[in-house]
Amino acid sequence: MSKFFEGNITRDVELSFLDNGMAMAKFGFAENWKTKGDNPKETSSFYNVVAFGKLAENIAQSLAKGDNVGIDGRLEVNKYKKNDGTEGTSVDIIVNFIGPSLRFAYAVPVKNERAATRGYTAPKYETEEETF
């Protein structure tokens, strides 16, 4: 089941490649939210985020620590062994879709080469200030 998250990237994107050549991007993410009730408090939930394939490559080229993003993905709970021998639990978001939040910044989409080779031509955008 997919869920939407909005928050900030907390660690720079690490791009690596699996044995089969598929790209994998990993980074930290914090979702900030306010509790409800008589005494609301702001709190954060922290996640590891993982993406694969061309999406991973595009993330590594486009996003960095501190960026505010929206993520559509699924949660995956993983158990691991800590250095002290005890068992730990991590909650990862496996990305289906990600994009910069346009609440605090603007973005100019640039098609990657693969889209261009399929005969796709990016539309031209014009504003009063400049032409893209």
Side-chain angles (χ1 to χ4, degrees):
M1 177 154 82
S2 196
K3 181 180 179 331
F4 183 79
F5 304 86
E6 182 183 357
N8 294 315
I9 295 177
T10 60
R11 289 190 317 267
D12 283 328
V13 178
E14 298 173 19
L15 182 66
S16 60
F17 292 86
L18 303 174
D19 290 341
N20 64 4
M22 180 180 285
M24 178 175 66
K26 291 182 176 182
F27 57 93
F29 178 77
E31 181 180 40
N32 303 316
W33 46 281
K34 289 185 181 176
T35 60
K36 295 183 179 182
D38 294 338
N39 192 14
K41 295 181 213 170
E42 189 162 313
T43 189
S44 299
S45 295
F46 295 90
Y47 303 94
N48 297 309
V49 180
V50 182
F52 297 95
K54 190 62 178 175
L55 176 61
E57 293 179 46
N58 289 340
I59 289 169
Q61 290 180 338
S62 305
L63 300 173
K65 180 179 177 179
D67 287 346
N68 187 261
V69 296
I71 299 174
D72 176 73
R74 64 182 168 83
L75 290 176
E76 189 173 276
V77 178
N78 295 302
K79 299 210 182 285
Y80 65 94
K81 199 162 266 204
K82 295 181 183 180
N83 292 338
D84 65 3
T86 61
E87 191 173 85
T89 303
S90 71
V91 180
D92 299 345
I93 300 172
I94 309 302
V95 179
N96 294 325
F97 172 84
I98 186 170
S101 171
L102 300 181
R103 184 179 309 167
F104 305 109
Y106 68 91
V108 179
V110 176
K111 300 289 179 194
N112 58 36
E113 291 179 27
R114 187 171 174 182
T117 60
R118 287 193 222 138
Y120 179 84
T121 304
K124 302 286 185 204
Y125 296 98
E126 292 189 22
T127 66
E128 291 179 21
E129 297 167 357
E130 63 181 288
T131 302
F132 295 102

